[in-house]
């Protein structure tokens, strides 16, 4: 049976920074570099008869772009992704804070 962990390791060796930062693009004389939050997970296994399998998956959330103009470099966030992450975070933080306050009152 091939070593699944080594095969997966070889396949994702170049995954790191190249997945989070895209290739710079020139648009109307302005250089932009896309930025994303990425993560991936993989797993595999085999039984005693060496019947094995594996799988994996990943997620990429576009955070924004770095824009290079004559004035300098600036980050411009992706508002839709920011709201998609911020709204659930604020809701969970609010629920947790209300429960902490309620527990402290008792």
């Amino acid at each position: 049976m091939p070593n699944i962990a080594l095969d997966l390791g070889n396949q994702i060796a170049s995954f790191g920074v190249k997945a989070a930062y895209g290739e710079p693009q020139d648009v109307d004389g302005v250089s932009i570099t896309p930025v994303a939050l990425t993560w991936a997970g993989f797993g595999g296994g085999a039984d005693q008869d060496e019947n094995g399998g594996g799988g994996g998956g990943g997620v990429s959330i576009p955070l924004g772009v770095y824009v290079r103009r004559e004035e300098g470099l600036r980050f411009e966030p992706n508002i839709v992704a920011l709201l998609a992450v911020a709204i659930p975070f604020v809701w969970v933080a609010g629920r947790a804070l209300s429960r902490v306050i309620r527990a402290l009152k008792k």
Side-chain angles (χ1 to χ4, degrees):
M1 179 177 107
N3 191 336
I4 295 172
L6 289 177
D7 290 342
L8 288 173
N10 290 335
Q11 290 176 6
I12 63 165
S14 65
F15 190 64
V17 173
K18 289 182 181 180
Y21 295 95
E23 294 293 324
Q25 304 290 320
D26 287 326
V27 178
D28 295 331
V30 177
S31 176
I32 62 170
T33 304
V35 180
L37 174 65
T38 62
W39 66 89
F42 298 93
D47 60 13
Q48 292 177 352
D49 297 329
E50 295 190 11
N51 295 321
V59 174
S60 178
I61 300 173
L63 298 179
V65 294
Y66 280 108
V67 179
R68 182 179 302 276
R69 294 189 175 113
E70 293 176 1
E71 304 89 47
L73 184 66
R74 192 174 111 192
F75 181 75
E76 294 184 7
N78 179 352
I79 301 301
V80 173
L82 181 64
L83 289 174
V85 172
I87 290 172
F89 176 77
V90 169
W91 183 81
V92 169
R95 292 270 303 184
L97 184 60
S98 70
R99 289 183 181 201
V100 167
I101 290 171
R102 192 176 313 137
L104 291 174
K105 285 183 178 181
K106 289 183 179 183

